[in-house]
Amino acid sequence: MMVHGGSRYAAIKPLDEALAWALALLLSISLVMVYSASIAYAEADAATQNRYFYLLRHIVFMVIGLSAAYVAFQVPTKFWQKYSGQLFMIGIALLILVLIPGIGRVVNGSRRWISLFVLNLQPSEIMKFATVLYAADYTVRKTHKLHSLKEGFAPMFMAMVVVAFLLLREPDFGALMVVMSIAMGILFLGGINMRIFSGLAVMAVVAIVLLIISSPYRLKRVLGFMDPWDDPYGKGYQLSHSLIAIGRGEWFGVGLGGSIEKLFYLPEAHTDFIMAVIAEEFGFVGICILIGLYAWIVRRAFHIGVECKKLERFYQALVAQGLGIWLGIQVFFNIGVNMGLLPTKGLTLPLMSFGGSAMMMNLVAMAVLLRVDYENRRIMRGFKV
């Protein structure tokens, strides 16, 4: 596009460069750390016997995710708003499909994946994205009814009950916590009646306590999290080794590749507990840099949402901020689990951990965020979107 000094026809940058660089840095760190965390396991595994096995698969996942993100960036946000309900129903259909024996793949006692040969599709990751889009659209459509328990809150509550039931059947308690946080956060930002929201928060806490008490599996995890050293070779094994890894890192870490805990001591070192390996190899300073990158992205997501509100693009505002909530809350949960602040859950570190579905949906989510920002700048320059 030709530049005409000071006019509305000045060239529009397709990407928020600061946000794009933060994402690029996270993906670059991810490649290095997935390789570092998985090299010993991949080399010793009789099924692979290739030190580059997980790195190569991670690159494939990243390429697939970036391709999907490129397509998502081309899609106007009006499309997501128009079909948010259908996408939410597709997410529910996939959650039902994964529970069918012979279709859903069982790993470590959980039925969370559908095999697509190239990657294992995890419906809960799609549901997180669908929840952002649907909750934002619902909140905008019901803006004038959010003060009403029956008309404003009840329909969304019932939809979340269905999702919760399906996720608990897998079981995937971690994904449930993220989905509920997204829905509640968007409703709060959309202006839901505070009495209703407070009541919902209390009900959520009570429900979580009852779910923990009613399930020996979840109760065992909570007890193990509260005192991992009570049974360091049993229920506290994973957390105790995560804490050892973090402790060994001290201020500046033991250096890239120098982690001891990744050598068959710390389970899931390249997936759920990659943060512990980063802490061991790069120390407190490395973790602060990592958290700083995530904080920048979340801050930018909320800032983009504020810009949308100024332009009266309320759906896009809630989508941007909902994506920020998703990223922020999952980072908080993952790091909290690694540090022993929260019970162990099967949640990856966004844009960092090894995993096909998670990486793909995280990249698609960030592409939508970049698209929202791009449309904002087009509108401010006087163009249509």
Side-chain angles (χ1 to χ4, degrees), residues 101-168:
I103 297 178
R105 184 166 175 258
V106 180
V107 178
N108 296 329
S110 297
R111 192 184 298 274
R112 302 178 185 175
W113 297 269
I114 298 173
S115 179
L116 297 180
F117 303 106
V118 177
L119 57 81
N120 290 318
L121 180 67
Q122 192 168 357
S124 61
E125 295 295 333
I126 296 174
M127 179 50 71
K128 294 171 189 175
F129 180 64
T131 298
V132 172
L133 301 178
Y134 177 70
D137 178 58
Y138 178 88
T139 303
V140 170
R141 285 189 290 107
K142 300 279 187 175
T143 298
H144 301 296
K145 297 181 180 179
L146 290 179
H147 65 282
S148 169
L149 181 65
K150 181 179 179 181
E151 295 182 71
F153 170 70
M156 189 65 182
F157 177 75
M158 293 308 299
M160 288 298 104
V161 166
V162 173
V163 173
F165 173 78
L166 294 172
L167 287 173
L168 289 174

Side-chain angles (χ1 to χ4, degrees), residues 225-226 228 239 242-243 246 334-343:
F225 134 77
M226 292 176 68
L239 177 55
S242 177
L243 293 174
I246 294 170
N334 180 274
I335 294 179
V337 166
N338 276 250
M339 295 181 65
L341 300 175
L342 296 169

Side-chain angles (χ1 to χ4, degrees), residues 4-23:
H4 298 268
S7 76
R8 72 183 183 91
Y9 297 104
I12 299 174
K13 294 179 180 179
L15 294 177
D16 180 323
E17 292 183 358
L19 179 56
W21 273 110
L23 293 170

